[in-house]
């Protein structure tokens, strides 16, 4: 399922080489037809092409943001979980602080403040991408960190970890070989939820006009543009909406599958 | 024939699982007479708990189901009974206490509430009277300061005291039969001794019968009159306690008795412990014939050909072995 | 404290070992109390000997074992192993200590990493201490260890969950043996096993002791098992050792009232034996606020008023038989 979506957005453009911003007012707001299998928008741009291009961006944002969130979360969670005393306390305080911050206003603020300077360095699309990924990832690592820390706290008392300590295993070895692999199951599930959340978040941003520039289609921005035409061109909103829904669903399945695949008890 | 309370005949309780049919209890005969303590022993997973739960029909169905057999409670087969009739028996006639004293009490109610609830089930009493009854039950099981402790929550009690509370709860309906599923396995020896003595005391007081499930042979020797030995879902030997320890006939029983270190015998340190090789077979596809054959020192060809039936070798002493 | 001294070759000597755990509570998880888990324990273990350590759950047996291995830091006291104080070791000294002392755990399910294959579990020590120069040497050694504990070579490619409790315990033993230790702390190694399997594992431990000249600290709450396997036995109550004696001597002539009660509570698998039982009242007191004086005075059948005031010392009542009671021995 997910692989079909990924394949679609990666290979699709070669099979359907219609430009994403070919404006054709003659064919605006059309329903699905042979020339435009998913119809067109208010400027007569081909929705299939835009869907595929937008999907590439949305999925990339989703996965990249998830990676950022997981990396930061696992790092902070592990350090907190392995240390005790003030390091742990300080890190958890930081986590709670981030959790207590109102996400959306902060996000808007950051986007607003840094959009222009980052744009200069990385170009319009690249700048928006990096910024969005960092902002979303940076605001979603806290649950991961808390989860990882909780897992570490219980796992490091487990007898098999103690056995490793008794054998003289270094702290790093204890973590890499024994604790982390056993902590990852639930983390992967949270990670997949993060992908979905990031895609939706990006939609929200686009919706608010703070995401990618409006000439760059993403599933989120397409939804935004479609909202004014819901009554006359329902298909316009339907396809990106369905794509987001299916992706989220598929990613959650993949998450469960991954967790099971990592569990030796499930392997035959 | 004595006054028989419970008579289980050819009971089979099976569980349907993803991997196939688990034959947890696969043909069990067990009799308990009035005023008697019967021990049920065997290794982990041999079907002791499932047998006990079957008697109260506490098995989830599905996945469980009664495949065959009868459970005669005072002469009446309880397998066809419906929920209401079963509840009558559960509330007034048969009580059960479980292995895990930590998880068998509800943590959000006071101990008094939980006992009072059971009392109220079979006696028409005001809440205050029921609570007084609960305190009385706690006093009976030797919990100090019962008037105050009825208002405590389970986590405020130690493991041994929780097991006392469980006993108090089980006895508050004055059952004819008490099923105790490893009541002391999770407890220290000194506390185990207290609980076993308490059960003995209560038995004398209320004149009930006890079905004592355990894997500790010592506990059986000290508290039971008759013993049933189970292996892989089947009864392999049944005997009065003196006969079982004095003259065990089934190779599994012999192995069990000889593999325990004895503190009362001066020679034990020098001798190696006799051990039973191998492990318990899977109940998914139990081996044909005698289920102990793979671990038995005396196994012969005929052992794997047919399931040896229980045969009487002495009065009241029955063994399922070809020897 | 007056500690027992034996002139023979002691592999391990524990002196006045103490461990307190902080109990956190309240909304800011402040330290509100302390558990006196181990409260001044002294004993020694001779080379090739098995010292049994018995007592009710929570009396500090595991904590003692873990302090000796430095798996947790003792609060005070000394642990002398082959002439060095373990409590002051760090870095390389501690690493080499890990080759000499090992531990076997109670729970055969929690003590093996579910995500590693048996070969990796047993081989880990070889990797850590660089004991196997090549992959081939590593595999050979793992196979050898598996065979030593009565498992099959092809078991190294399986995961722990594919084994029964007794087999898992054997894997744990093989892991401990990999570094060729001198001392193994066995923390209730058979408590979670069925009787018939228990005997298999006890026999294995005895065979290994003979073959490799091992020394055991054998922790258990089952007195019959301890009596069977130990040369000497130490009885603990609420963080203190109350009696130490050669195994048979302790069982035949217990001096401390607690030892007596403990022994009389063990059910004997022989219906013809009828004994007088010394029933202890109540539960083990809370180790956060242990009773004053002799910790046992709240349950002791022969306690006198001054037992609540004075702490009895562990003293040698007969050669090799130490007891801590004002009125016995
Ligand atoms: N709900 C169930 N579904 C499937 N199999 C079950 C179920 N309940 C019990 N079994 C199986 O039935 C067999 C007997 O279990 P039972 O609990 O009676 O053992 P036991 O003799 O009481 O063991 P223990 O000494 O460990 O308490 C086991 O193989 C168990 O796995
Ligand atoms: N990590 C810990 N934190 C706080 N208390 C502990 C910890 N480990 C053990 N204890 C306490 O120390 C006492 C002794 O424990 P332990 O040595 O495990 O007992 P045993 O092995 O004899 O059953 C108990 O009261 C226990 O609750
Ligand atoms: S029937 Fe055969 S295999 Fe079974 S216990 Fe008897 S001798 Fe052993
Ligand atoms: S010192 Fe007193 S309380 Fe302690 S064991 Fe001896 S007699 Fe009992
Ligand atoms: Mg059971
Ligand atoms: Mg312990």
């Amino acid at each position: 399922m997910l692989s079909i979506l990924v394949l679609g957005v990666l290979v699709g453009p070669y099979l359907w080489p219609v430009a994403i911003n070919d404006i054709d007012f003659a064919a605006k707001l059309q329903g699905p037809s042979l020339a435009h299998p998913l119809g067109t928008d208010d400027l007569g741009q081909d929705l299939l092409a835009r869907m595929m291009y937008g999907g590439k961006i949305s999925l990339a944002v989703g996965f990249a943001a998830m990676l950022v969130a997981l990396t930061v979360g696992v790092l902070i969670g592990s350090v907190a979980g392995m240390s005790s005393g003030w390091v742990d306390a300080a890190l958890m305080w930081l986590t709670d602080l981030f959790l207590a911050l109102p996400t959306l206003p902060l996000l808007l603020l950051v986007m607003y403040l840094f959009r222009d300077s980052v744009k200069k360095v990385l170009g319009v699309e690249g700048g928006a991408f990096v910024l969005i990924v960092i902002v979303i990832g940076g605001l979603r690592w806290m649950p991961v960190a808390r989860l990882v820390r909780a897992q570490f706290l219980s796992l490091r008392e487990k007898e098999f970890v103690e056995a490793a300590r008794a054998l003289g295993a270094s702290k790093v070895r204890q973590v890499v070989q024994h604790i982390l692999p056993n902590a990852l199951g639930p983390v992967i599930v949270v990670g997949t939820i993060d992908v979905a959340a990031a895609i939706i978040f990006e939609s929200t941003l686009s919706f608010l006009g703070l995401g990618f520039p409006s000439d760059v289609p993403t599933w989120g921005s397409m939804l935004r543009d479609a909202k004014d035409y819901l009554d006359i061109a329902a298909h316009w909103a339907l396809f990106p909406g369905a794509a987001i829904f299916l992706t989220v669903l598929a990613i959650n399945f993949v998450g469960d599958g991954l967790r099971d695949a990592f569990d030796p008890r499930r392997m035959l | 024939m004595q006054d028989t309370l419970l008579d289980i005949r050819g009971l089979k309780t099976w569980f349907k699982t993803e991997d196939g049919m688990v034959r947890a209890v696969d043909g069990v005969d067990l009799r308990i007479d009035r005023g008697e303590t019967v021990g049920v022993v065997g290794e982990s997973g041999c079907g002791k708990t499932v047998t006990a739960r079957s008697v109260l029909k506490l098995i989830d169905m599905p996945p469980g189901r009664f495949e065959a057999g009868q459970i005669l409670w005072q002469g009446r087969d309880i397998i066809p009974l419906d929920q209401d009739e079963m509840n009558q028996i559960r509330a007034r006639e048969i009580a059960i206490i479980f292995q895990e004293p930590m998880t068998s009490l509800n943590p959000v109610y006071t101990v008094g509430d939980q006992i009072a609830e059971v009392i109220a089930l079979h006696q028409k009493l005001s809440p205050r009277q029921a609570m007084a009854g609960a305190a009385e039950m706690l006093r009976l099981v030797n919990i100090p300061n019962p008037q105050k402790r009825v208002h405590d929550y389970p986590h405020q009690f130690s493991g041994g005291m929780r097991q006392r509370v469980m006993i108090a709860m089980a006895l508050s309906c004055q059952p004819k039969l008490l099923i105790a599923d490893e009541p002391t396995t999770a407890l220290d020896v000194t506390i185990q001794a207290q609980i076993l003595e308490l059960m003995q005391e209560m038995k004398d007081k209320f004149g009930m019968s006890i079905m004592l499930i355990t894997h500790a042979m010592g506990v059986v020797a000290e508290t039971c009159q008759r013993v049933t030995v189970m292996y892989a879902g089947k009864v392999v030997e049944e005997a009065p306690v003196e006969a079982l320890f004095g003259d065990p006939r089934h190779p599994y029983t012999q192995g069990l008795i000889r593999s325990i270190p004895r503190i009362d015998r001066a020679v034990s340190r020098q001798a190696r412990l006799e051990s039973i090789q191998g492990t318990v077979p899977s109940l998914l596809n139990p081996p044909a014939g005698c289920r102990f054959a793979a671990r038995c020192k005396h196994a012969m060809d005929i052992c794997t050909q047919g399931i040896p039936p229980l045969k009487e070798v002495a009065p009241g002493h029955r063994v399922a072995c070809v020897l | 404290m007056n500690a027992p001294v034996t002139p023979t070759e002691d592999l391990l000597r524990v002196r006045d070992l103490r461990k307190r755990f902080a109990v956190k509570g309240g909304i800011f998880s402040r330290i509100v109390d302390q558990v006196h888990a181990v409260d001044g324990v002294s004993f020694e273990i001779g080379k090739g000997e098995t010292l049994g350590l018995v007592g009710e759950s929570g009396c500090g047996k595991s904590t003692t074992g873990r302090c000796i291995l430095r798996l947790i830091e003792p609060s005070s006291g000394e642990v002398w192993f082959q002439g060095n104080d373990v409590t002051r070791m760090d870095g390389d000294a501690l690493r080499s200590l890990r080759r000499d002392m090992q531990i076997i755990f109670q729970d055969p399910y929690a003590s093996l990493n579910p995500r590693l294959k048996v070969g990796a579990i047993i081989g880990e020590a070889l990797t850590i201490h660089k004991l196997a120069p090549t992959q081939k040497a590593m595999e050979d050694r793992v196979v050898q260890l598996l065979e030593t504990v009565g498992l099959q070579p092809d078991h190294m490619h399986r995961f722990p969950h594919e084994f029964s409790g007794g087999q898992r315990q054997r894997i744990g033993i093989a892991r401990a043996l990999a570094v060729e230790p001198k001392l193994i702390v066995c923390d209730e190694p058979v408590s979670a096993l069925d009787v018939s399997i228990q005997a298999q594992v006890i026999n294995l431990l005895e065979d290994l002791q003979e073959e490799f000249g091992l020394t055991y600290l054998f922790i258990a709450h089952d007195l019959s098992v301890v009596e069977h396997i130990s040369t000497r036995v130490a009885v603990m109550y609420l963080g203190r050792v109350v009696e130490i004696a050669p195994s048979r001597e302790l069982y035949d002539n217990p001096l401390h009232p607690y030892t007596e009660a403990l022994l009389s509570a063990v059910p004997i698998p022989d219906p013809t034996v009828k004994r007088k039982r010394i029933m202890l009242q109540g539960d083990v007191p809370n180790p956060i606020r242990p009773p004053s004086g002799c910790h046992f005075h709240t349950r002791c059948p022969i306690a006198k008023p001054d037992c609540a005031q004075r702490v009895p010392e562990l003293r040698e009542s007969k050669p090799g038989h130490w007891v801590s009671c004002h009125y016995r021995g």
Side-chain angles (χ1 to χ4, degrees):
Chain A
M1 180 75 206
L2 187 67
S3 52
I4 294 178
L5 278 169
V6 172
L7 211 73
V9 301
L10 288 183
V11 182
Y14 300 101
L15 304 178
W16 188 253
V18 175
I20 51 162
N21 35 19
D22 251 1
I23 297 175
D24 177 5
F25 286 109
K28 73 176 192 180
L29 291 180
Q30 275 180 359
S33 66
L34 255 187
H36 304 288
L38 299 185
T40 57
D41 62 12
D42 58 339
L43 301 176
Q45 303 174 85
D46 181 60
L47 276 184
L48 179 58
R50 291 181 73 83
M51 278 286 296
M52 293 189 298
Y53 188 88
K56 195 157 66 183
I57 295 185
S58 288
L59 288 179
V61 166
F63 280 104
M66 181 256 306
L67 279 182
V68 171
L70 279 196
T71 314
V72 178
V74 168
L75 216 66
I76 295 201
S78 337
V79 173
M82 281 312 280
S83 54
S84 47
W86 68 268
V87 179
D88 179 28
L91 286 175
M92 279 304 109
W93 181 80
L94 187 76
T95 310
D96 289 342
L97 184 80
F98 265 83
L99 269 178
L101 291 176
T103 322
L104 202 58
L106 191 80
L107 209 101
L108 299 183
L109 188 72
V110 172
M111 295 298 291
Y112 187 75
L113 287 179
F114 294 104
R115 197 153 47 149
D116 295 328
S117 45
V118 177
K119 232 183 250 173
K120 265 184 223 132
V121 188
L122 295 168
V124 179
E125 262 181 52
F129 180 79
V130 169
L131 208 56
I132 290 175
V133 163
I134 289 181
V135 165
I136 298 179
L139 286 175
R140 290 204 57 93
W141 58 266
M142 297 83 73
V144 179
R146 294 198 134 242
L147 183 73
V148 170
R149 173 175 174 267
Q151 291 272 320
F152 266 56
L153 286 184
S154 78
L155 281 169
R156 75 175 195 193
E157 304 293 330
K158 281 270 157 68
E159 288 184 347
F160 64 82
V161 179
E162 207 163 14
R165 226 180 313 148
L167 288 170
S170 62
K171 262 218 161 113
V172 174
R173 190 183 175 90
Q174 286 169 39
V175 171
V176 173
Q177 188 84 337
H178 298 285
I179 302 184
L180 206 51
N182 283 291
L184 278 187
V187 174
I188 286 172
V189 175
V190 171
T192 55
I193 295 172
D194 270 356
V195 175
I199 290 177
I200 294 171
F201 227 105
E202 187 276 326
S203 313
T204 318
L205 281 180
S206 299
F207 213 80
L208 295 167
L210 277 166
F212 290 89
S214 59
D215 53 331
V216 179
T218 69
W219 288 345
S221 68
M222 289 168 74
L223 261 184
R224 172 199 56 197
D225 297 339
K227 72 171 190 298
D228 299 332
Y229 299 89
L230 271 182
D231 40 352
I232 43 175
H235 67 274
W236 188 3
L238 187 69
F239 290 118
I244 292 179
F245 176 72
L246 287 178
T247 310
V248 170
L249 209 65
I251 288 176
N252 284 335
F253 273 124
V254 171
D256 285 349
L258 269 182
R259 188 193 47 196
D260 291 350
F262 275 117
D263 189 345
R265 270 159 292 201
R266 303 280 188 115
M267 291 200 281
L268 284 178
Chain B
M1 196 69 187
Q2 279 189 328
D3 190 1
T4 300
L5 263 189
L6 178 72
D7 193 3
I8 303 176
R9 294 185 186 166
L11 178 69
K12 296 190 178 186
T13 311
W14 294 1
F15 293 92
K16 205 185 178 97
T17 66
E18 272 176 36
D19 304 323
M21 198 60 94
V22 176
R23 303 173 177 211
V25 170
D26 203 22
V28 163
D29 296 315
L30 182 73
R31 196 189 81 239
I32 298 179
D33 293 335
R34 203 177 288 280
E36 183 180 45
T37 302
V38 175
V40 178
V41 292
E43 276 171 275
S44 195
C46 71
K48 307 183 295 288
T49 301
V50 174
T51 306
R53 289 176 155 261
S54 297
V55 172
L56 281 163
K57 299 225 286 178
L58 288 174
I59 305 275
D60 288 330
M61 310 221 170
R65 80 162 185 255
F66 290 127
E67 192 64 29
Q70 290 178 309
I71 301 174
L72 301 174
W73 173 247
Q74 299 184 312
R76 181 165 70 139
D77 188 3
I78 60 170
I79 289 182
L81 296 190
D82 63 22
Q83 275 297 327
D84 286 345
E85 290 171 299
M86 222 28 240
N87 280 337
Q88 288 299 315
I89 293 182
R90 283 183 202 140
R92 294 155 198 244
E93 308 195 333
I94 309 178
I96 187 164
I97 51 181
F98 297 106
Q99 181 166 354
E100 225 0 284
M102 307 300 158
T103 50
S104 32
L105 286 166
N106 188 332
V108 300
Y109 293 105
T110 65
V111 161
D113 285 339
Q114 297 185 55
I115 301 177
E117 190 190 334
V118 180
I119 295 178
L121 264 182
H122 72 123
Q123 270 175 290
K124 279 235 170 323
L125 291 174
S126 72
R128 276 194 56 172
Q129 286 169 315
M131 196 52 97
E136 174 59 20
M137 289 312 298
L138 287 189
R139 191 189 59 74
L140 213 64
V141 294
N142 301 328
I143 287 189
N145 215 346
Q147 302 294 343
K148 234 179 92 208
R149 307 270 352 213
V150 280
H151 302 296
D152 282 352
Y153 289 88
H155 71 90
Q156 290 164 298
F157 289 78
S158 67
M161 279 162 86
R162 272 181 226 165
Q163 206 56 292
R164 284 169 190 274
V165 170
M166 287 307 297
I167 293 176
M169 215 151 122
L171 294 185
S172 52
C173 58
Q174 305 190 358
K176 297 195 176 95
L177 172 66
L178 175 67
I179 300 179
D181 188 357
E182 312 214 15
T184 58
T185 302
L187 306 174
D188 279 310
V189 266
T190 57
I191 310 297
Q192 163 172 290
Q194 290 173 3
I195 297 290
L196 291 178
E197 189 179 76
L198 174 71
M199 282 175 52
Q200 188 60 41
E201 218 175 88
M202 295 296 119
K203 182 185 151 189
D204 296 343
K205 198 167 206 144
F206 295 106
M208 61 186 177
S209 309
I210 299 178
M211 171 169 162
L212 179 69
I213 297 175
T214 176
H215 58 249
M217 294 305 257
V219 171
V220 171
E222 297 202 344
T223 49
C224 302
Q225 282 93 55
R226 281 193 308 117
V227 192
T228 294
V229 182
M230 284 184 70
Y231 185 76
K234 286 186 163 302
V235 172
V236 295
E237 185 159 4
E238 185 200 337
V241 71
E242 295 81 10
L244 191 91
F245 284 91
D247 181 23
R249 292 297 188 84
H250 197 280
Y252 177 62
T253 317
Q254 294 169 352
L256 268 190
I257 292 174
R258 288 183 198 147
S259 61
I260 4 179
R262 302 275 298 262
I263 61 166
D264 57 326
R265 296 219 179 129
V267 289
S268 69
R269 165 73 197 165
Q270 276 69 35
R272 252 177 92 83
L273 285 180
E274 210 169 297
S275 69
I276 309 176
Q277 293 308 312
T279 50
V280 187
S282 151
L283 294 175
L284 267 175
N285 297 302
C290 175
R291 294 196 174 163
F292 188 58
R295 304 173 74 186
C296 181
K297 279 187 284 195
H298 312 289
M300 299 166 279
D301 283 348
I302 44 164
C303 298
T304 49
Q305 277 153 19
I307 297 175
L310 272 177
K311 278 182 315 204
E312 187 138 31
V313 293
H317 191 159
R318 301 199 297 160
V319 182
C321 172
V322 294
L323 288 183
Chain C
M1 181 177 280
N2 204 353
V5 187
T6 22
T8 53
E9 225 185 325
D10 286 334
L11 187 66
L12 183 81
R13 198 177 292 214
V14 177
R15 285 285 166 275
D16 202 23
L17 188 71
R18 285 168 202 272
K19 175 67 189 177
R20 291 179 294 271
F21 289 106
V23 181
K24 294 186 178 171
I27 27 177
F28 299 111
S29 52
R30 277 168 307 135
I31 296 174
V32 291
D33 250 321
Q34 286 187 323
V35 182
H36 299 260
V38 177
D39 199 15
V41 160
S42 303
F43 58 78
E44 55 280 313
I45 311 180
K47 222 162 176 303
E49 189 185 41
T50 300
L51 178 72
L53 192 57
V54 293
E56 286 170 282
S57 78
C59 72
K61 307 182 294 292
S62 302
T63 307
T64 304
R66 283 174 163 80
C67 282
I68 291 173
L69 281 152
R70 283 279 298 278
L71 286 174
I72 50 180
E73 293 301 320
S75 306
S76 67
E78 295 164 11
V79 177
W80 294 90
F81 181 74
Q82 295 183 317
N84 301 309
D85 188 355
V86 172
T87 60
R88 279 181 225 146
M89 286 185 186
D90 51 15
D92 285 346
L94 198 57
R95 271 173 65 86
S96 73
L97 176 77
R98 302 278 184 234
R99 287 198 52 186
D100 289 333
M101 275 195 207
Q102 274 303 309
I103 182 164
I104 303 168
F105 295 95
Q106 167 172 8
D107 185 345
Y109 291 88
S111 58
L112 304 176
N113 186 343
R115 280 162 204 275
L116 292 183
K117 290 188 178 163
V118 168
I121 291 174
I122 298 175
E124 176 161 34
L126 305 176
T127 316
I128 291 173
H129 297 285
K130 309 195 172 60
L131 295 178
T134 62
Q135 187 65 30
K136 176 84 175 61
M138 165 97 121
E139 270 183 29
D140 289 348
R141 177 79 175 120
V142 169
V143 167
Q144 189 191 356
L145 284 163
L146 281 171
E147 281 169 349
T148 309
V149 297
L151 293 171
Q152 311 299 317
D154 60 298
H155 285 159
M156 66 190 280
H157 304 297
R158 302 218 206 141
F159 285 100
H161 70 268
E162 297 170 58
F163 294 89
S164 69
Q167 286 175 315
R168 284 159 165 259
Q169 214 52 306
R170 287 170 192 267
I171 297 170
I173 295 173
R175 171 176 60 193
L177 287 178
V179 291
E180 298 173 23
K182 301 195 170 76
L183 173 77
I184 301 186
V185 173
C186 308
D187 191 357
E188 313 225 13
V190 297
S191 303
L193 304 177
D194 268 314
V195 216
S196 73
I197 312 296
Q198 239 180 41
Q200 295 174 8
V201 173
I202 292 173
N203 285 340
L204 173 66
L205 286 171
E206 287 181 340
D207 293 346
L208 294 174
Q209 177 163 46
E210 200 154 303
E211 190 174 343
F212 300 110
L214 296 170
T215 304
Y216 290 143
L217 174 61
F218 193 95
I219 299 173
H221 62 253
D222 184 332
L223 285 104
S224 347
V225 168
V226 168
E227 191 270 339
H228 177 83
I229 200 168
S230 311
T231 25
R232 286 188 308 133
V233 177
V235 181
M236 273 185 89
Y237 186 77
L238 272 184
R240 291 183 188 157
V241 171
V242 296
E243 187 163 5
I244 303 186
S247 176
R248 204 56 243 177
E249 160 76 8
L250 186 93
Y251 285 73
D252 291 338
N253 302 306
L255 289 176
H256 199 279
Y258 178 63
T259 313
E260 253 176 12
L262 210 53
L263 285 175
S264 84
V266 178
I268 287 179
D270 184 351
T272 55
V273 177
K274 294 278 177 258
R275 289 174 307 163
K276 185 170 71 67
R277 176 159 288 165
I278 304 162
M279 203 57 82
L280 285 184
Q281 295 307 308
D283 294 317
V284 182
N286 188 339
I288 293 180
R289 261 165 247 96
S292 60
C294 172
H295 282 174
F296 188 54
H297 81 256
T298 52
R299 299 169 83 197
C300 179
I302 59 163
K304 305 223 163 40
D306 68 329
C307 294
Q309 261 88 53
R310 290 188 298 131
V311 179
E313 282 188 354
L314 191 63
R315 63 202 158 71
E316 194 163 21
S317 144
K318 301 181 214 170
H321 193 151
W322 297 71
V323 61
S324 128
C325 170
H326 296 312
Y327 299 101
R328 281 291 178 80

